[in-house]
Amino acid sequence: MRFPLDLDYEEWRTLCMEEWHEPPFRADQICGWLYERRTLSFEEMTNLSKELRRKASETFGPAVPKIEKVEVSKRDGTQKILWSLRDGESVESVLLEQDGRKTACISTQVGCPLACSFCATGQSGFVRNLSCGEIVGQFLAMEKDQGSLIDNLVFMGMGEALLNMEAFLKAVRNLKHPKMRSLGARRMTVSTAGVVPGILALAESNLGIKLAVSVHAPDDDLRDRLMPVNRRYPLSELFSAIRFYQEKTGDRVSIEYLLIDGLNDTQAQAERLASRLRGLKSFVNLIPWNTTCETFRKPSPQKVEKFRQVLLSKGIEAEVRRERGEDIDAACGQLRQRRRAR
Ligand code: SAH
């Protein structure tokens, strides 16, 4: 079975011309329905002949994952969506609104193989990669559900996008494509736990999307313990890759730094982080740990601010990420975890 959002524009043209013996502009019409009008059923594509609609419906399975559950934060309106996929697996997306701009945070894998010790998804293990269509489908179905366009897209949900490179890159290309969603590359950001070959490949891809890196510790010892991926790609290699990315693209890189009480939030650690970032155009997002288990604690707001002040005093730009959707467990992987526990 094929799925409509798994195809890129060229594949649509080939399908229309070679299999369906239709003129190539049918590809434009179909992509217009799917990506601009977010009509995801061929039966509704009224400018196609009945015969073609029938053929297309027989060729393809459903376009998007199904919404299984939506939770809305009473505090800030953040929405968390649990999707059920065609094989019964599930992933999550989050929709945030800030200053009138909407940002979707979507998943790229079911589970995650990287096993970061603080992350609910990492602790649940890896199941499979999402296809291009399952990635794009989260975004389009959210737009359809909202009845409006979403401004920004971050690949920061479940999974490690840079370990699902083929589907992830295809998803970005389709979202960017002028005949498809035409979402500007500058409106998309991918976050990685530090998969060095993926960062290098992204730098070479010239896609123009923005990069965020989850650093979370300034030394290899601690980072090895928090993020096992560090044993494979230690900080020195990671930072060479980030520098390479910056040389290639000229982009400022976002550095994500999770703050866990008594573990990675001391003044000395802030100083070491600052020296790692020297000479790099970066912006640090400090994320107070979102409670998912008993092992760790969230630092006090005073400690978080102190950490930020040390970075600022070293000339490093840093902000504390406002906590969103805490009452609906909006941290990575929590909703799916709850569903599995039922
Ligand atoms: N694999 C990618 C994206 C996954 S999650 C990556 O690692 O960057 C997006 C961000 O949420 C990452 O920075 C991740 O480290 C962070 N995160 C995971 N669990 C969290 C928690 N309990 N509280 C706060 N941030 C968390």
Side-chain angles (χ1 to χ4, degrees), residues 153-177:
L153 171 57
V154 294
F155 296 90
M156 287 190 193
M158 300 170 65
E160 171 59 45
L162 301 190
L163 290 178
N164 182 14
M165 212 54 183
E166 199 182 317
F168 161 66
L169 291 181
K170 191 173 189 183
V172 172
R173 290 201 180 97
N174 284 358
L175 288 166
K176 263 181 76 172
H177 198 288

PDB file of all heavy atoms in Angstrom, residues 153-177:
ATOM      1  N   LEU A 153       7.815  25.303  12.371  1.00  0.00           N
ATOM      2  CA  LEU A 153       7.834  23.857  12.585  1.00  0.00           C
ATOM      3  C   LEU A 153       9.165  23.471  13.209  1.00  0.00           C
ATOM      4  O   LEU A 153      10.224  23.833  12.689  1.00  0.00           O
ATOM      5  CB  LEU A 153       7.669  23.157  11.225  1.00  0.00           C
ATOM      6  CG  LEU A 153       7.875  21.645  11.195  1.00  0.00           C
ATOM      7  CD1 LEU A 153       6.941  20.949  12.162  1.00  0.00           C
ATOM      8  CD2 LEU A 153       7.631  21.119   9.790  1.00  0.00           C
ATOM      9  N   VAL A 154       9.105  22.765  14.328  1.00  0.00           N
ATOM     10  CA  VAL A 154      10.342  22.265  14.922  1.00  0.00           C
ATOM     11  C   VAL A 154      10.287  20.740  14.989  1.00  0.00           C
ATOM     12  O   VAL A 154       9.274  20.154  15.374  1.00  0.00           O
ATOM     13  CB  VAL A 154      10.600  22.877  16.335  1.00  0.00           C
ATOM     14  CG1 VAL A 154      10.843  24.370  16.223  1.00  0.00           C
ATOM     15  CG2 VAL A 154       9.455  22.629  17.295  1.00  0.00           C
ATOM     16  N   PHE A 155      11.384  20.132  14.567  1.00  0.00           N
ATOM     17  CA  PHE A 155      11.495  18.674  14.653  1.00  0.00           C
ATOM     18  C   PHE A 155      12.128  18.374  16.004  1.00  0.00           C
ATOM     19  O   PHE A 155      13.324  18.154  16.116  1.00  0.00           O
ATOM     20  CB  PHE A 155      12.348  18.142  13.497  1.00  0.00           C
ATOM     21  CG  PHE A 155      11.736  18.389  12.142  1.00  0.00           C
ATOM     22  CD1 PHE A 155      12.012  19.546  11.430  1.00  0.00           C
ATOM     23  CD2 PHE A 155      10.869  17.463  11.585  1.00  0.00           C
ATOM     24  CE1 PHE A 155      11.441  19.775  10.182  1.00  0.00           C
ATOM     25  CE2 PHE A 155      10.293  17.693  10.340  1.00  0.00           C
ATOM     26  CZ  PHE A 155      10.576  18.845   9.637  1.00  0.00           C
ATOM     27  N   MET A 156      11.304  18.443  17.025  1.00  0.00           N
ATOM     28  CA  MET A 156      11.800  18.299  18.403  1.00  0.00           C
ATOM     29  C   MET A 156      10.874  17.417  19.213  1.00  0.00           C
ATOM     30  O   MET A 156      10.855  17.480  20.430  1.00  0.00           O
ATOM     31  CB  MET A 156      11.845  19.665  19.104  1.00  0.00           C
ATOM     32  CG  MET A 156      12.939  20.563  18.624  1.00  0.00           C
ATOM     33  SD  MET A 156      13.062  21.991  19.712  1.00  0.00           S
ATOM     34  CE  MET A 156      14.100  23.052  18.726  1.00  0.00           C
ATOM     35  N   GLY A 157      10.060  16.631  18.525  1.00  0.00           N
ATOM     36  CA  GLY A 157       9.174  15.727  19.243  1.00  0.00           C
ATOM     37  C   GLY A 157       9.918  14.444  19.566  1.00  0.00           C
ATOM     38  O   GLY A 157      11.097  14.457  19.910  1.00  0.00           O
ATOM     39  N   MET A 158       9.219  13.334  19.413  1.00  0.00           N
ATOM     40  CA  MET A 158       9.856  12.066  19.735  1.00  0.00           C
ATOM     41  C   MET A 158      10.824  11.666  18.633  1.00  0.00           C
ATOM     42  O   MET A 158      10.577  11.860  17.459  1.00  0.00           O
ATOM     43  CB  MET A 158       8.789  10.986  19.859  1.00  0.00           C
ATOM     44  CG  MET A 158       7.785  11.330  20.951  1.00  0.00           C
ATOM     45  SD  MET A 158       6.368  10.231  20.931  1.00  0.00           S
ATOM     46  CE  MET A 158       7.162   8.718  21.357  1.00  0.00           C
ATOM     47  N   GLY A 159      11.945  11.081  19.066  1.00  0.00           N
ATOM     48  CA  GLY A 159      12.879  10.518  18.098  1.00  0.00           C
ATOM     49  C   GLY A 159      14.019  11.444  17.730  1.00  0.00           C
ATOM     50  O   GLY A 159      14.066  12.611  18.153  1.00  0.00           O
ATOM     51  N   GLU A 160      14.953  10.904  16.971  1.00  0.00           N
ATOM     52  CA  GLU A 160      16.126  11.646  16.524  1.00  0.00           C
ATOM     53  C   GLU A 160      16.056  11.739  14.999  1.00  0.00           C
ATOM     54  O   GLU A 160      16.314  10.765  14.290  1.00  0.00           O
ATOM     55  CB  GLU A 160      17.388  10.904  16.998  1.00  0.00           C
ATOM     56  CG  GLU A 160      18.688  11.420  16.452  1.00  0.00           C
ATOM     57  CD  GLU A 160      18.977  12.896  16.765  1.00  0.00           C
ATOM     58  OE1 GLU A 160      18.781  13.332  17.909  1.00  0.00           O
ATOM     59  OE2 GLU A 160      19.399  13.598  15.833  1.00  0.00           O
ATOM     60  N   ALA A 161      15.677  12.938  14.530  1.00  0.00           N
ATOM     61  CA  ALA A 161      15.486  13.128  13.086  1.00  0.00           C
ATOM     62  C   ALA A 161      16.725  12.741  12.282  1.00  0.00           C
ATOM     63  O   ALA A 161      16.627  12.166  11.198  1.00  0.00           O
ATOM     64  CB  ALA A 161      15.127  14.582  12.812  1.00  0.00           C
ATOM     65  N   LEU A 162      17.908  13.036  12.839  1.00  0.00           N
ATOM     66  CA  LEU A 162      19.133  12.814  12.054  1.00  0.00           C
ATOM     67  C   LEU A 162      19.520  11.335  11.997  1.00  0.00           C
ATOM     68  O   LEU A 162      20.494  10.969  11.349  1.00  0.00           O
ATOM     69  CB  LEU A 162      20.288  13.671  12.588  1.00  0.00           C
ATOM     70  CG  LEU A 162      20.029  15.185  12.584  1.00  0.00           C
ATOM     71  CD1 LEU A 162      21.306  15.955  12.903  1.00  0.00           C
ATOM     72  CD2 LEU A 162      19.435  15.672  11.265  1.00  0.00           C
ATOM     73  N   LEU A 163      18.762  10.478  12.677  1.00  0.00           N
ATOM     74  CA  LEU A 163      18.927   9.033  12.485  1.00  0.00           C
ATOM     75  C   LEU A 163      17.858   8.483  11.550  1.00  0.00           C
ATOM     76  O   LEU A 163      17.792   7.282  11.307  1.00  0.00           O
ATOM     77  CB  LEU A 163      18.865   8.282  13.832  1.00  0.00           C
ATOM     78  CG  LEU A 163      20.052   8.482  14.767  1.00  0.00           C
ATOM     79  CD1 LEU A 163      19.824   7.717  16.074  1.00  0.00           C
ATOM     80  CD2 LEU A 163      21.360   8.029  14.118  1.00  0.00           C
ATOM     81  N   ASN A 164      17.003   9.353  11.063  1.00  0.00           N
ATOM     82  CA  ASN A 164      15.984   8.959  10.085  1.00  0.00           C
ATOM     83  C   ASN A 164      16.094   9.935   8.914  1.00  0.00           C
ATOM     84  O   ASN A 164      15.137  10.572   8.506  1.00  0.00           O
ATOM     85  CB  ASN A 164      14.595   9.022  10.738  1.00  0.00           C
ATOM     86  CG  ASN A 164      13.482   8.568   9.797  1.00  0.00           C
ATOM     87  OD1 ASN A 164      13.757   7.960   8.758  1.00  0.00           O
ATOM     88  ND2 ASN A 164      12.241   8.865  10.150  1.00  0.00           N
ATOM     89  N   MET A 165      17.331  10.032   8.443  1.00  0.00           N
ATOM     90  CA  MET A 165      17.727  11.101   7.523  1.00  0.00           C
ATOM     91  C   MET A 165      16.901  11.118   6.241  1.00  0.00           C
ATOM     92  O   MET A 165      16.464  12.181   5.803  1.00  0.00           O
ATOM     93  CB  MET A 165      19.207  10.887   7.203  1.00  0.00           C
ATOM     94  CG  MET A 165      19.998  12.104   6.957  1.00  0.00           C
ATOM     95  SD  MET A 165      19.865  13.300   8.298  1.00  0.00           S
ATOM     96  CE  MET A 165      20.845  14.603   7.624  1.00  0.00           C
ATOM     97  N   GLU A 166      16.697   9.953   5.638  1.00  0.00           N
ATOM     98  CA  GLU A 166      16.064   9.946   4.321  1.00  0.00           C
ATOM     99  C   GLU A 166      14.635  10.505   4.397  1.00  0.00           C
ATOM    100  O   GLU A 166      14.267  11.405   3.653  1.00  0.00           O
ATOM    101  CB  GLU A 166      16.061   8.518   3.788  1.00  0.00           C
ATOM    102  CG  GLU A 166      15.871   8.466   2.299  1.00  0.00           C
ATOM    103  CD  GLU A 166      15.817   7.028   1.811  1.00  0.00           C
ATOM    104  OE1 GLU A 166      16.638   6.203   2.274  1.00  0.00           O
ATOM    105  OE2 GLU A 166      14.922   6.737   0.992  1.00  0.00           O
ATOM    106  N   ALA A 167      13.855   9.967   5.331  1.00  0.00           N
ATOM    107  CA  ALA A 167      12.460  10.414   5.452  1.00  0.00           C
ATOM    108  C   ALA A 167      12.398  11.858   5.936  1.00  0.00           C
ATOM    109  O   ALA A 167      11.571  12.651   5.472  1.00  0.00           O
ATOM    110  CB  ALA A 167      11.708   9.507   6.416  1.00  0.00           C
ATOM    111  N   PHE A 168      13.293  12.205   6.846  1.00  0.00           N
ATOM    112  CA  PHE A 168      13.301  13.569   7.391  1.00  0.00           C
ATOM    113  C   PHE A 168      13.622  14.588   6.295  1.00  0.00           C
ATOM    114  O   PHE A 168      12.925  15.595   6.139  1.00  0.00           O
ATOM    115  CB  PHE A 168      14.302  13.640   8.549  1.00  0.00           C
ATOM    116  CG  PHE A 168      14.752  15.023   8.900  1.00  0.00           C
ATOM    117  CD1 PHE A 168      13.858  15.944   9.424  1.00  0.00           C
ATOM    118  CD2 PHE A 168      16.076  15.407   8.685  1.00  0.00           C
ATOM    119  CE1 PHE A 168      14.276  17.233   9.731  1.00  0.00           C
ATOM    120  CE2 PHE A 168      16.494  16.691   8.989  1.00  0.00           C
ATOM    121  CZ  PHE A 168      15.594  17.606   9.509  1.00  0.00           C
ATOM    122  N   LEU A 169      14.669  14.320   5.496  1.00  0.00           N
ATOM    123  CA  LEU A 169      15.042  15.277   4.436  1.00  0.00           C
ATOM    124  C   LEU A 169      13.946  15.388   3.385  1.00  0.00           C
ATOM    125  O   LEU A 169      13.654  16.462   2.879  1.00  0.00           O
ATOM    126  CB  LEU A 169      16.368  14.871   3.781  1.00  0.00           C
ATOM    127  CG  LEU A 169      17.618  15.000   4.654  1.00  0.00           C
ATOM    128  CD1 LEU A 169      18.861  14.584   3.872  1.00  0.00           C
ATOM    129  CD2 LEU A 169      17.801  16.413   5.200  1.00  0.00           C
ATOM    130  N   LYS A 170      13.338  14.238   3.071  1.00  0.00           N
ATOM    131  CA  LYS A 170      12.254  14.266   2.086  1.00  0.00           C
ATOM    132  C   LYS A 170      11.079  15.088   2.623  1.00  0.00           C
ATOM    133  O   LYS A 170      10.479  15.881   1.888  1.00  0.00           O
ATOM    134  CB  LYS A 170      11.814  12.831   1.772  1.00  0.00           C
ATOM    135  CG  LYS A 170      10.890  12.717   0.577  1.00  0.00           C
ATOM    136  CD  LYS A 170      10.633  11.255   0.222  1.00  0.00           C
ATOM    137  CE  LYS A 170       9.897  11.141  -1.103  1.00  0.00           C
ATOM    138  NZ  LYS A 170       9.579   9.732  -1.428  1.00  0.00           N
ATOM    139  N   ALA A 171      10.782  14.928   3.904  1.00  0.00           N
ATOM    140  CA  ALA A 171       9.694  15.696   4.523  1.00  0.00           C
ATOM    141  C   ALA A 171       9.981  17.195   4.433  1.00  0.00           C
ATOM    142  O   ALA A 171       9.110  17.992   4.067  1.00  0.00           O
ATOM    143  CB  ALA A 171       9.508  15.273   5.979  1.00  0.00           C
ATOM    144  N   VAL A 172      11.213  17.588   4.738  1.00  0.00           N
ATOM    145  CA  VAL A 172      11.572  19.009   4.680  1.00  0.00           C
ATOM    146  C   VAL A 172      11.457  19.512   3.241  1.00  0.00           C
ATOM    147  O   VAL A 172      10.897  20.597   2.991  1.00  0.00           O
ATOM    148  CB  VAL A 172      13.002  19.247   5.213  1.00  0.00           C
ATOM    149  CG1 VAL A 172      13.439  20.689   4.964  1.00  0.00           C
ATOM    150  CG2 VAL A 172      13.077  18.924   6.697  1.00  0.00           C
ATOM    151  N   ARG A 173      11.957  18.739   2.296  1.00  0.00           N
ATOM    152  CA  ARG A 173      11.888  19.170   0.885  1.00  0.00           C
ATOM    153  C   ARG A 173      10.447  19.325   0.433  1.00  0.00           C
ATOM    154  O   ARG A 173      10.104  20.278  -0.264  1.00  0.00           O
ATOM    155  CB  ARG A 173      12.610  18.159  -0.013  1.00  0.00           C
ATOM    156  CG  ARG A 173      14.099  18.199   0.183  1.00  0.00           C
ATOM    157  CD  ARG A 173      14.868  17.620  -1.007  1.00  0.00           C
ATOM    158  NE  ARG A 173      16.284  17.719  -0.716  1.00  0.00           N
ATOM    159  CZ  ARG A 173      17.004  16.719  -0.216  1.00  0.00           C
ATOM    160  NH1 ARG A 173      16.457  15.524  -0.021  1.00  0.00           N
ATOM    161  NH2 ARG A 173      18.282  16.904   0.060  1.00  0.00           N
ATOM    162  N   ASN A 174       9.595  18.388   0.827  1.00  0.00           N
ATOM    163  CA  ASN A 174       8.185  18.491   0.426  1.00  0.00           C
ATOM    164  C   ASN A 174       7.512  19.705   1.066  1.00  0.00           C
ATOM    165  O   ASN A 174       6.757  20.419   0.414  1.00  0.00           O
ATOM    166  CB  ASN A 174       7.417  17.221   0.797  1.00  0.00           C
ATOM    167  CG  ASN A 174       7.716  16.076  -0.160  1.00  0.00           C
ATOM    168  OD1 ASN A 174       8.475  16.238  -1.119  1.00  0.00           O
ATOM    169  ND2 ASN A 174       7.126  14.915   0.097  1.00  0.00           N
ATOM    170  N   LEU A 175       7.796  19.939   2.334  1.00  0.00           N
ATOM    171  CA  LEU A 175       7.177  21.094   2.984  1.00  0.00           C
ATOM    172  C   LEU A 175       7.645  22.397   2.344  1.00  0.00           C
ATOM    173  O   LEU A 175       6.884  23.354   2.220  1.00  0.00           O
ATOM    174  CB  LEU A 175       7.489  21.082   4.490  1.00  0.00           C
ATOM    175  CG  LEU A 175       6.737  20.000   5.269  1.00  0.00           C
ATOM    176  CD1 LEU A 175       7.337  19.802   6.657  1.00  0.00           C
ATOM    177  CD2 LEU A 175       5.252  20.346   5.393  1.00  0.00           C
ATOM    178  N   LYS A 176       8.908  22.420   1.911  1.00  0.00           N
ATOM    179  CA  LYS A 176       9.467  23.619   1.272  1.00  0.00           C
ATOM    180  C   LYS A 176       8.972  23.819  -0.148  1.00  0.00           C
ATOM    181  O   LYS A 176       8.931  24.936  -0.642  1.00  0.00           O
ATOM    182  CB  LYS A 176      10.998  23.445   1.165  1.00  0.00           C
ATOM    183  CG  LYS A 176      11.796  24.084   2.243  1.00  0.00           C
ATOM    184  CD  LYS A 176      13.282  23.848   2.006  1.00  0.00           C
ATOM    185  CE  LYS A 176      13.857  24.713   0.905  1.00  0.00           C
ATOM    186  NZ  LYS A 176      15.342  24.602   0.818  1.00  0.00           N
ATOM    187  N   HIS A 177       8.667  22.742  -0.842  1.00  0.00           N
ATOM    188  CA  HIS A 177       8.455  22.781  -2.288  1.00  0.00           C
ATOM    189  C   HIS A 177       7.342  23.770  -2.671  1.00  0.00           C
ATOM    190  O   HIS A 177       6.250  23.739  -2.109  1.00  0.00           O
ATOM    191  CB  HIS A 177       8.103  21.376  -2.794  1.00  0.00           C
ATOM    192  CG  HIS A 177       8.296  21.217  -4.263  1.00  0.00           C
ATOM    193  ND1 HIS A 177       7.467  21.803  -5.188  1.00  0.00           N
ATOM    194  CD2 HIS A 177       9.239  20.567  -4.978  1.00  0.00           C
ATOM    195  CE1 HIS A 177       7.889  21.512  -6.407  1.00  0.00           C
ATOM    196  NE2 HIS A 177       8.973  20.755  -6.301  1.00  0.00           N
TER     197      HIS A 177
END
